[in-house]
Amino acid sequence: MNLISIAWKSLKQRRMASCLTAFSIALGVMLMVLVLVMFGAVDSAFTQRSIAYDLIVGPKGSDLQLVLSAVYRMQPPIENLPYLYLEQLKKDRRVISAVPLAFGDVTQEGSFPIIGTTPEYFENDYMPGRAFKIRGTRVNGLLDTIIGYEVARRNKWDLGSTFTIVHGGADSGHVHDEKFVVVAVLAPTGTANDRTVFLNLEGFYAIAGHSKPVVEYEQRLRDFYAADPERLATAMAQLEAQKKLEAEEASAGHDHAHHHHATPDAMKEVTAILVRTRPDTPFDSLSLTSELQKGYQAMAVNPVRPIQKLVTGLLGNIQKALVALTAIIILVSGVGIFVSIYNSMSDRRREIGIMRALGARRMHVFGIVLSESTLLCVGGGLLGWLIGHGLAVIAAPWLIEQTGLLINPWAINPWEATLFPVLVGLAALVGFLPAMTAYRTNVADALNS
Amino acid sequence: MSLLLERIRKSYREPGGSRIPVLGIESFAMNQGEQVALIGSSGGGKTTLLNIISGILTPDSGRVVVDGSDIAAKQEVVRDRFRAAKIGIVFQTFNLLPAFSALENVLLGMSFSGRGVDKAFAKQLLERVGLGHRLNHAPQKLSVGEQQRVAVARSLANKPVLLLADEPTANVDLANQQLILDLIRDTCRDHNVTLLMVTHSSDVADTFARVENLKDFNRPELCLQEQSA
C-alpha cells in the first residue's frame, strides 16, 4: 500500500464529499475546455490559411470588409473592379492564377450568396492541399450553377433543381426572371463555399439588370486608370464602340432586353480577384500589393492578416476573459476542496494518530493528505476534461448546422497542456494547510481523543 | 534484555507553566520473550509509560532501551521507523481504520515499516486469529471480538520484538476475553515476542507469571526533586 492508495481509500470513506468537490473542479475544467475548443475553432476558421490564394484584390476600402465578403461571404462587397484589370493581372508574370469573383445577388430561397466565377476557381484548391470534390456535370449554359453542400442540404436541392435569385441582397425584393438550374453539388468543405451558389461569370453578366449605363462605366474606368492613360484609352475605345452599337440598335427599334450580346470587357466588372503568385518568389505578392496601392484605385490584401488582427484583437480578449472566468471557477472549486479536507481533519485526528502509532512518519501523513487533494483536483480535472471534449463531440454537428463552424472536439489547446500542472499546483496549495495539520498532529493526544 | 527503562522522568507542563509529574522510574527491565502484566490505578501513568516505550512520547530524561537501542535518544523520524519495525501495539479501542478492510488494516502496519508489504503473511496472520474468511470485511462489519483479533494480527504484522497491549480485553465480552488473551499470549510465545500488557482486570493479571503494579516502581515525585535540585 502506498500513499496514493491510502489517500484513495480515505477519499472513498468520505465518498459524497469527495465526489461533490471533485465534480466542482470538473465543472470548472469542463467550462474551460469548452471555451478553448470553441475559440480554437473560431481561431482556426479565421486565422489559418482558409483559402489557397496569396492575395485578394478588390477596390480600395476596408481590407477587413474585402476579406469578409470575398472569403467568408459575410459582408456585402465594397465596390467593383474593371474586368480589364483581371485580364491585366492574368498577364502579369508574377501571377500564376487570377480568379474573378462577381457577386451581389442571393438565392430567393435561403438567401445564399450568388457568385459568378470561372472554372479555374474549382480547378484550384479551396484550401492549401484540399481540392474541390464535385458531383455533377460541368457548367455549360449561362444559367447552370454549382451549389455548395449546405445550400443543397438546407434548400433540399439536387442536380436538376431550379431556382430564382434576388437582386442585390435579400432585402431588395427584386427577383430576377431567370430560372437557374443546379448542374453540380460540392462535397462539404467546411468553408463558406458550402453556403454559396456559383455560376459562370458570363452567366452572371447576362442576368438582366446587371449592366449599367455606359457613362457610369466610363467614369469608373477614368477613376481606376487615372495613372495609366494607355489602358484607359483602350477601355474608352471599347466603350465608344458599345455606345455606337446601342445607338444603332435604338434607331433600328430593337429591344435590348430581348437580345443578348456578349458584354464588352470594358463593361464588365468583378467584385474581387483571388490571386496566386509564384511560390518560389515570395516577394511577388508584396511588390504586387505595393504597385496596386500606388497605381490604381484598388488594393490587394493578405487573406489572413485582417481577420487575424480582428480575432486576436477582439476575440482574443474575450477568450482571455472567459478563460480567466473559468480559472476563477476552478480556483473557487479548489477552495471547496480545501474546506472539505480541512473540515475532515478534526474527524480524522484519531485516524492520523493510529497511523502514526503504527509507524507512519510525519511526512507520510502529510503526503497522504496532499495526495487526497491531488487526487480530487487531478481526478476532477480529468473528468471535466473528458466531459468538456465529450460535449464538444456531441455539439459539433449542431454547431456546423447552426454556424457553419467546423470544430475539432479533440483538438488540444496549448492552454490545456498547462491545465494539469496548474491543477497539481492548486492541489498542493489547497492541500498544504490540512496536510500541515496532519503533520503537526500530536500522536498521544490524537490517540486519546 | 528486550526492554530496559533507566531513570525515566516524565512530567507534563500545565498551561500556567507549572509541571505535573507523571513518571519517575529508576529501573524496569524485561527479558526477551517475557510476558508481564502491568496494573495500576487509572491516571497513574500506564498509558504514558507505554507511549514512552513505543517512542510516541519522549521522557524528560532517562534511557528507553528496546532490543538494544536507546530510542529515547533518537530523533522522531528514527523512532517512528523503529516503532514500525520492532514494536507492535494493541489498543484498548482496537483502533482499526474504517476505510480499510481487515486485510488492509494489517497491510497498513506493514506499509510504514519500510520493509515492504507481505500480503501472504498478513493473510496467514488473519487466518491464525480465525478471520481467514473475513479478509475483505470492513471493520464496522466485524463483531467487537473480531475487530480486536484484527488489531492483534496487525500488531504482529512486522514481526515485532516487543508487543505493547493497552487493556486489550477491556471492551470485549467475556467469551471473547479469554480468546483474545490466549491469542495474544500464545502468539507472543510462539514468536518469542516480549509482551507488556496493561490491564485493570485481576483475573487477567492472575494468569501472568509476572505482575507489576506501576505504583510499586513509579515515583513521580522524583521529577520534582530533580527539578528543584
Side-chain angles (χ1 to χ4, degrees):
Chain A
M1 290 181 105
N2 54 33
L3 297 188
I4 302 281
S5 62
I6 294 171
W8 176 247
K9 289 269 171 192
S10 200
L11 288 177
K12 272 173 73 179
Q13 174 74 6
R14 292 172 287 120
R15 198 169 280 122
M16 183 56 91
S18 303
C19 284
L20 287 175
T21 45
F23 193 65
S24 66
I25 286 275
L27 276 179
V29 171
M30 180 199 79
L31 286 174
M32 184 175 272
V33 166
L34 284 177
V35 166
L36 292 175
V37 167
M38 286 299 301
F39 276 89
V42 172
D43 193 57
S44 65
F46 287 103
T47 61
Q48 282 171 12
R49 278 197 71 87
S50 39
I51 60 166
Y53 293 91
D54 304 301
L55 289 173
I56 300 169
V57 177
K60 271 206 166 75
S62 155
D63 55 356
L64 183 63
Q65 194 179 356
L66 178 60
V67 175
L68 285 176
S69 65
V71 181
Y72 300 99
R73 285 140 214 175
M74 286 176 171
Q75 285 274 320
I78 308 170
E79 254 305 331
N80 287 330
L81 289 172
Y83 180 83
L84 291 171
Y85 184 66
L86 169 70
E87 294 297 314
Q88 187 186 328
L89 264 183
K90 278 183 171 171
K91 286 174 193 150
D92 196 305
R93 59 168 184 78
R94 294 166 295 188
V95 173
I96 54 171
S97 179
V99 180
L101 298 178
F103 48 99
D105 296 350
V106 296
T107 57
Q108 192 181 10
E109 196 179 334
S111 299
F112 292 105
I114 306 287
I115 288 191
T117 187
T118 57
E120 202 178 348
Y121 184 81
F122 300 101
E123 287 158 15
N124 290 339
D125 288 353
Y126 63 92
M127 266 191 198
R130 290 197 204 168
F132 281 106
K133 287 179 189 143
I134 305 170
R135 178 172 60 87
T137 59
R138 286 176 62 88
V139 172
N140 292 317
L142 292 176
L143 301 179
D144 288 354
T145 61
I146 297 174
I147 59 171
Y149 176 79
E150 272 299 300
V151 181
R153 199 182 65 81
R154 291 240 200 127
N155 287 355
K156 297 188 173 62
W157 290 350
D158 205 348
L159 305 180
S161 299
T162 57
F163 60 94
T164 50
I165 64 174
V166 181
H167 182 69
D171 302 333
S172 79
H174 171 63
V175 181
H176 285 293
D177 297 333
E178 292 88 348
K179 283 260 183 204
F180 292 87
V181 60
V182 177
V183 297
V185 180
L186 297 177
T189 63
T191 66
N193 292 307
D194 294 348
R195 301 184 301 277
T196 306
V197 172
F198 299 92
L199 74 155
N200 202 312
L201 195 59
E202 287 304 323
F204 189 86
Y205 295 134
I207 298 170
H210 273 192
S211 59
K212 298 182 188 77
V214 176
V215 282
E216 206 175 303
Y217 289 114
E218 209 174 276
Q219 190 51 51
R220 286 195 192 205
L221 286 166
R222 278 186 204 288
D223 290 344
F224 190 81
Y225 284 120
D228 194 345
E230 200 180 314
R231 286 202 170 83
L232 179 62
T234 315
M236 286 302 140
Q238 278 189 23
L239 285 183
E240 280 308 315
Q242 180 65 18
K243 270 192 209 167
K244 220 166 145 187
L245 185 69
E246 282 181 13
E248 278 169 15
E249 279 179 350
S251 63
H254 284 170
D255 182 356
H256 182 73
H258 290 97
H259 291 270
H260 176 70
H261 296 288
T263 314
D265 287 351
M267 286 179 66
K268 289 180 190 168
E269 287 183 326
V270 294
T271 315
I273 305 167
L274 305 175
V275 175
R276 290 170 70 186
T277 52
R278 296 186 183 283
D280 50 336
T281 52
F283 292 108
D284 280 357
S285 60
L286 284 176
S287 64
L288 255 176
T289 308
S290 134
E291 267 175 40
L292 265 172
Q293 307 284 32
K294 286 181 204 153
Y296 306 101
Q297 285 298 310
M299 64 178 180
V301 299
N302 180 300
V304 177
R305 214 159 292 147
I307 301 290
Q308 220 162 25
K309 255 164 54 187
L310 177 79
V311 170
T312 52
L314 180 67
L315 295 181
N317 286 336
I318 297 173
Q319 184 194 20
K320 277 180 198 148
L322 284 173
V323 167
L325 197 70
T326 52
I328 290 169
I329 293 172
I330 293 172
L331 198 68
V332 170
S333 310
V335 173
I337 288 183
F338 165 75
V339 172
S340 165
I341 296 180
Y342 195 80
N343 282 346
S344 74
M345 292 315 291
S346 55
D347 300 335
R348 296 168 62 196
R349 205 159 160 260
R350 188 174 177 84
E351 192 181 305
I352 290 163
I354 296 165
M355 285 192 199
R356 292 291 317 280
L358 291 175
R361 296 188 270 291
R362 287 184 191 273
M363 282 311 289
H364 281 143
V365 291
F366 181 88
I368 289 167
V369 176
L370 215 54
S371 301
E372 284 179 25
S373 66
T374 306
L375 283 172
L376 287 175
C377 278
V378 176
L382 194 65
L383 181 71
W385 187 83
L386 287 170
I387 295 176
H389 282 287
L391 283 178
V393 170
I394 294 165
W398 179 82
L399 266 173
I400 292 174
E401 192 175 306
Q402 296 296 313
T403 64
L405 204 60
L406 252 183
I407 68 167
N408 177 2
W410 294 106
I412 309 291
N413 189 291
W415 288 42
E416 282 177 61
T418 62
L419 190 65
F420 287 96
V422 165
L423 283 174
V424 171
L426 181 69
L429 198 70
V430 300
F432 183 77
L433 211 56
M436 276 310 290
T437 308
Y439 183 90
R440 289 188 179 140
T441 300
N442 181 307
V443 186
D445 288 350
L447 287 172
N448 286 333
S449 62
Chain B
M1 196 73 68
S2 179
L3 170 67
L4 175 65
L5 305 178
E6 277 184 346
R7 297 180 59 77
I8 298 295
R9 307 287 182 266
K10 180 67 182 176
S11 59
Y12 289 118
R13 190 188 291 275
E14 278 194 311
S18 58
R19 300 192 79 93
I20 302 173
V22 180
L23 294 176
I25 299 170
E26 282 302 294
S27 179
F28 179 83
M30 286 177 73
N31 291 320
Q32 183 65 45
E34 193 179 6
Q35 299 189 349
V36 174
L38 181 66
I39 56 171
S41 56
S42 291
K46 297 187 298 296
T47 301
T48 300
L49 178 62
L50 290 190
N51 283 339
I52 284 175
I53 295 170
S54 63
I56 289 172
L57 292 176
T58 50
D60 300 337
S61 62
R63 295 176 73 220
V64 181
V65 181
V66 178
D67 199 32
S69 294
D70 180 6
I71 63 166
K74 296 187 188 305
Q75 285 188 325
E76 184 188 63
V77 65
V78 181
R79 292 201 311 272
D80 291 338
R81 202 175 297 140
F82 187 89
R83 179 167 62 253
K86 304 265 184 172
I87 302 172
I89 304 174
V90 183
F91 302 92
Q92 181 181 341
T93 48
F94 327 138
N95 283 342
L96 297 179
L97 294 170
F100 301 84
S101 67
L103 179 62
E104 285 165 345
N105 263 284
V106 178
L107 293 174
L108 195 67
M110 290 177 169
S111 60
F112 297 128
S113 70
R115 292 193 297 224
V117 165
D118 186 347
K119 208 169 179 176
F121 183 61
K123 281 183 182 173
Q124 197 184 315
L125 280 171
L126 283 167
E127 277 160 15
R128 185 167 179 164
V129 298
L131 292 174
H133 61 300
R134 298 216 174 227
L135 297 178
N136 298 314
H137 282 62
Q140 50 274 28
K141 299 271 172 69
L142 299 174
S143 70
V144 170
E146 286 172 329
Q147 286 183 43
Q148 190 60 307
R149 281 189 266 159
V150 174
V152 171
R154 184 179 64 184
S155 69
L156 297 167
N158 291 323
K159 299 173 183 162
V161 293
L162 173 66
L163 186 74
L164 304 172
D166 191 0
E167 300 188 58
T169 55
N171 287 335
V172 294
D173 56 45
L174 277 173
N176 272 301
Q177 255 185 25
Q178 196 56 47
L179 188 79
I180 287 163
L181 202 60
D182 290 346
L183 184 67
I184 293 174
R185 297 193 65 180
D186 291 349
T187 316
C188 285
R189 201 172 293 121
D190 293 350
H191 292 89
N192 197 30
V193 175
T194 307
L195 170 66
L196 179 61
M197 183 183 287
V198 170
T199 181
H200 275 115
S201 160
S202 53
D203 290 343
V204 172
D206 288 347
T207 62
F208 281 78
R210 181 179 164 193
V211 179
E212 296 281 355
N213 193 327
L214 185 60
K215 73 174 176 46
D216 295 340
F217 62 96
N218 179 28
R219 294 171 58 209
E221 65 277 12
L222 290 174
C223 295
L224 298 174
Q225 286 169 14
E226 284 176 14
Q227 275 169 28
S228 58

